[in-house]
Amino acid sequence: MNTQERKALEAWRSGFSRCGVCWWPEENSGRRLEVHHICGGNARSSGHDPRNYLLLCNRCHGVYHSGRVYALTPDINLGTLLFVKR
């Protein structure tokens, strides 16, 4: 990620303060908010685009990547993320 892409990510990130799935607030220190790339892997390495970002709390991000289910956390799949992004 170059400097211009990092600044674009920081500008995008400053506009959000809650998890896109469960709405966990940034002010609550129980979880941290993380940027998820909807298109990852090789697609991500060709360029960072804010349209590809989604802010998730660490629990929802973990559920998406691991497939685990936690109490009071919905099942999260790509369809869920695309709906939230929309």
Side-chain angles (χ1 to χ4, degrees), residues 11-74:
W12 176 87
R13 171 66 179 86
S14 68
F16 299 93
S17 62
R18 292 182 176 271
C19 173
V21 173
C22 71
W23 288 80
W24 186 270
E26 186 172 37
E27 310 84 51
N28 193 327
S29 61
R31 299 180 198 168
R32 68 183 181 283
L33 297 179
E34 304 171 344
V35 175
H36 172 73
H37 291 82
I38 295 171
C39 295
N42 291 336
R44 182 179 67 189
S45 64
S46 63
H48 295 268
D49 186 346
R51 294 175 294 181
N52 187 35
Y53 302 147
L54 184 62
L55 195 64
L56 300 174
C57 70
N58 61 315
R59 178 175 282 181
C60 289
H61 203 191
V63 166
Y64 175 74
H65 283 290
S66 71
R68 288 184 177 167
V69 177
Y70 295 96
L72 304 176
T73 304

